Amino acid sequence: MSLVKNRVSVCNYVCVILLLALICVQLFVPFYSFVVKDEAVEVSLGDYVWFPNDSDNRKLTSHFTHKDMYGAEEVIEEFGEKFKIDEVALPHLYMLILAGFGVVFCLLKNHSFVPSIFGLAAGVISVVNFTSNRGLVVAEQYADRVETSQMVCIVCIVLGALLVVNSLFSVFGGLIAKLFTKKPAKA
């Protein structure tokens, strides 16, 4: 059973690396690009969420709330409401909180399978939101206003999928180890 326990420990270290990569990609890599007065502006997802009152970020929000983008009547009929910054901020915040706890607990309790559940949740949030969230996956018809980096989307989806697979591997390995480990009988 030590092989299974070692596998759980290795999976937790891999989970830490994947979580840190996901955090870095979302916080620092340019994600949105748009034009302001004939000047191309690039903003990272973390910059947009954490500093919404920055001049470039306010301009990006005005692009999102413009009547030709997510303020159009057909968009309101489809989604039921206009764009709110929460559509971008909340998934990003949930992923960061789960990733932060996952990194800490995977390092502190690296022989337990339980911390990898944080990685599993962060991976699921990343995959779901970078494939379906209208604030993160900007449709092609809005490319004249705002473009998202498709490469960053793909990287976040791949990192999320790897987190899910790695975490499931760790959880099932840990459960197997826990079920088949014999406890010594008390005399």
Side-chain angles (χ1 to χ4, degrees):
M1 278 301 137
S2 68
L3 178 64
V4 174
K5 287 182 181 179
N6 288 340
R7 182 179 75 177
V8 169
S9 181
V10 168
C11 285
N12 282 341
Y13 288 126
V14 170
C15 188
V16 167
I17 292 168
L18 291 171
L19 287 170
L20 289 173
L22 190 62
I23 289 170
C24 289
V25 167
Q26 288 193 18
L27 286 179
F28 304 116
V29 177
F31 185 70
Y32 294 111
S33 59
F34 56 99
V35 177
V36 176
K37 297 180 183 175
D38 297 329
E39 181 182 332
V41 178
E42 291 185 336
V43 176
S44 71
L45 186 59
D47 187 36
Y48 180 61
V49 170
W50 293 104
F51 304 107
N53 290 328
D54 187 36
S55 64
D56 289 338
N57 296 339
R58 276 190 273 137
K59 292 172 186 168
L60 180 58
T61 302
S62 72
H63 276 296
F64 278 130
T65 56
H66 193 269
K67 66 178 176 68
D68 291 339
M69 199 161 175
Y70 294 130
E73 292 301 319
E74 60 272 4
V75 174
I76 294 171
E77 289 174 11
E78 182 180 348
F79 291 102
E81 59 184 34
K82 294 182 180 182
F83 175 80
K84 294 180 181 173
I85 194 170
D86 292 347
E87 292 180 44
V88 175
L90 290 179
H92 176 72
L93 182 65
Y94 295 150
M95 193 281 315
L96 284 179
I97 290 171
L98 288 168
F101 280 118
V103 166
V104 170
F105 288 125
C106 281
L107 289 175
L108 292 177
K109 301 282 188 179
N110 64 344
H111 293 294
S112 174
F113 67 92
V114 176
S116 61
I117 293 173
F118 289 108
L120 177 66
V124 167
I125 287 173
S126 180
V127 169
V128 167
N129 284 296
F130 280 99
T131 56
S132 63
N133 188 322
R134 69 178 177 159
L136 297 175
V137 184
V138 178
E140 290 182 17
Q141 69 257 27
Y142 305 123
D144 59 329
R145 299 197 65 80
V146 177
E147 290 183 20
T148 56
S149 172
Q150 296 301 318
M151 185 56 71
V152 175
C153 279
I154 291 170
V155 167
C156 287
I157 292 168
V158 168
L159 286 172
L162 289 173
L163 271 167
V164 169
V165 170
N166 181 62
S167 298
L168 287 175
F169 195 67
S170 177
V171 168
F172 287 127
L175 286 175
I176 290 170
K178 191 169 190 156
L179 290 174
F180 292 113
T181 304
K182 299 197 185 230
K183 296 180 182 176
K186 293 184 179 179

